[in-house]
Amino acid sequence: MSVMRMIDLIYKKRNGAEHSPEEIRFIVNGIAEKSIPDYQLAAWCMAVYFQGMSPREARNLAIEMSVSGETVDLSAIPGVKIDKHSTGGVGDKVSLVLAPLVAAAGAPVCKMSGRGLGHTGGTIDKLESIPGFKTEIPKEDLFRQVKEVGIGLVGQTGNLVPADKYLYALRDVTCTVESIPLIAASIMSKKLAGGADGYVLDVKVGNGAFMKDLEEAKSLAELMVSIGKGAGKKCMAVLTGMDQPLGHAIGNALEVQEAIAALKGQGPGDLMEVSLTLGAQMLILAGIEEEEAAARNRLEQMIADGAAWRTFEKWVSAQGGEVSAIRDEALLPTAPIQLPVVSRNAGYVAYLDTEGLGMLAGRLGAGRASKDDCIDHRVGLIIRKKLGDPVKEGEVLAEVHARTMQEAQAAAESLYNLVIVSAIHQPAPPLIYGYII
Ligand code: URA
């Protein structure tokens, strides 16, 4: 039997052939053991970038990477555990709403979430804006909490999917991040390692998303669903719009406030719609409801009778957060400067540079410029006018929440390039583009 060599696998992929499961295992083991040099891995990533991968190769890559480090076994928690994953957006606080909402409806949530990445925010950073909220909990305590409260949500542990961590860092510096099979395998490897029984994937599409184009987003969603199902899990995806921020708030404590409003039934329409759509699919995959309409009704009931809110309070308290701060939002971190930005002309909101708005919030301190930066939970933006909204001259378009007046004024000036008001009315783009089942 001949010895497998990375040079032969690069040659094979460069020429557009399909890797066998053994070859994918060889590559992932080589990443984990650091036995394949970076220059060969980089060449292989570029070959994949241009030649693509079959669904079978992408699935094998996801599965092999998922077991390259620690994995989580959720079998001690009763019930069907359904995880939700978003490919990343601006103002996406859906996990904060969904976790207590579906838990109140009877679906246990035991979830690992990430921190902000690039122009997108992260659930863990948002939750940490609640004073005292702990996002690192020993496994035994986490499982006990899920059994008692219905939810546990923690940050990703250090040794989860190390092969993906390594490969992602290499892709980042070799212009090979934007490969649909590599993205799908990367995301799904982390999901599989998290141990849930199924996944509802929120694949964002639009100028604030990773995937700017609907066809590309659809391909990514199809591949992720096929990887999930191929790994023996329940899995579906919803394609949702990201041509504008979700809701109004961008920034950590501001987003927590908006999620609180949503749990009380007073959230912005788009946030409520995405939360109910994804939540209904979670209840269906969890086997709690069969029909979407019944699942939505159940979730709406949880909001109307206060069960979702009470579950949120119990969750915050169980993870050490100050319940007084979610009952009285004045006790959440608040920026010293709040500057309204008014429209210089009348018309309709025609364009929002969503990625730019996410980056602007990041520059105000809501995100990190480098890995070790501390974020400022208080700062961010409130986008008052959304796509298609009529605007009068002098009317408030947005509010900047900043640390200093100088930073607020600079951000306000930038906002005029990111929010375009025009005389022509264009309808807002769709919020839900469709399902991949
Ligand atoms: N997010 C991930 O986790 N991996 C990718 O490759 C892209 C986005």
Side-chain angles (χ1 to χ4, degrees), residues 50-368:
F50 283 112
Q51 294 291 0
M53 273 185 159
S54 69
R56 190 176 76 129
E57 284 176 297
R59 183 188 71 217
N60 288 331
L61 181 60
I63 293 174
E64 291 298 338
M65 288 202 299
S66 75
V67 293
S68 63
E70 263 174 51
T71 54
V72 184
D73 179 0
L74 297 182
S75 58
I77 298 168
V80 183
K81 278 76 62 185
I82 304 298
D83 195 1
K84 166 256 170 190
H85 178 83
S86 157
T87 55
V90 176
D92 182 0
K93 66 280 293 174
V94 169
S95 288
L96 304 184
V97 181
L98 263 188
L101 184 54
V102 302
V109 177
C110 185
K111 183 172 168 54
M112 271 181 286
S113 287
R115 296 192 180 275
L117 184 71
H119 68 283
T120 67
T123 300
I124 291 297
D125 292 330
K126 292 172 200 184
L127 283 169
E128 284 177 351
S129 54
I130 302 170
F133 197 101
K134 289 196 291 287
T135 53
E136 281 177 35
I137 311 176
K139 200 168 78 184
E140 299 68 36
D141 295 353
L142 176 71
F143 284 13
R144 190 169 346 105
Q145 183 186 312
V146 179
K147 284 185 205 160
E148 285 169 14
V149 181
I151 315 182
L153 199 153
V154 290
Q156 224 157 279
T157 64
N159 195 31
L160 200 86
V161 201
D164 173 64
K165 210 172 183 176
Y166 195 86
L167 195 63
Y168 189 88
L170 194 84
R171 286 165 56 208
D172 201 21
V173 291
T174 53
C175 302
T176 52
V177 167
E178 295 87 351
S179 149
I180 287 178
L182 292 180
I183 294 175
S186 163
I187 294 175
M188 291 309 290
S189 67
K190 286 172 282 210
K191 292 288 105 185
L192 295 175
D197 303 302
Y199 313 99
V200 169
L201 306 169
D202 179 5
V203 179
K204 303 279 185 203
V205 54
N207 67 26
F210 244 110
M211 298 285 129
K212 316 281 183 215
D213 169 84
L214 183 57
E215 282 315 304
E216 283 195 335
K218 221 169 133 194
S219 304
L220 177 65
E222 281 167 356
L223 189 54
M224 288 201 292
V225 170
S226 103
I227 292 173
K229 287 186 174 170
K233 305 286 185 176
K234 297 162 188 273
C235 195
M236 66 85 63
V238 183
L239 292 159
T240 68
M242 189 36 71
D243 274 315
Q244 55 182 333
L246 193 61
H248 301 285
I250 311 171
N252 299 284
L254 295 171
E255 293 195 41
V256 169
Q257 282 191 37
E258 198 164 68
I260 288 172
L263 285 164
K264 294 180 172 171
Q266 293 148 10
D270 57 350
L271 174 60
M272 300 305 289
E273 182 57 29
V274 173
S275 302
L276 290 170
T277 301
L278 298 172
Q281 295 303 321
M282 289 173 81
L283 294 192
I284 292 170
L285 291 198
I288 290 172
E289 290 286 357
E290 283 182 9
E291 300 294 335
E292 183 168 356
R296 276 181 81 108
N297 277 344
R298 186 189 276 255
L299 294 172
E300 278 163 349
Q301 189 58 36
M302 294 300 125
I303 293 174
D305 70 12
W309 171 255
R310 287 191 296 279
T311 305
F312 183 62
E313 283 193 334
K314 280 194 215 153
W315 170 33
V316 169
S317 166
Q319 292 200 215
E322 285 175 24
V323 175
S324 56
I326 55 169
R327 288 194 184 142
D328 174 3
E329 292 158 37
L331 299 176
L332 283 171
T334 310
I337 306 293
Q338 291 160 28
L339 184 70
V341 182
V342 298
S343 183
R344 289 170 174 162
N345 57 319
Y348 302 90
V349 179
Y351 180 76
L352 291 168
D353 178 341
T354 313
E355 186 170 327
L357 291 169
M359 291 197 304
L360 182 59
R363 281 203 300 280
L364 283 164
R368 296 177 183 78

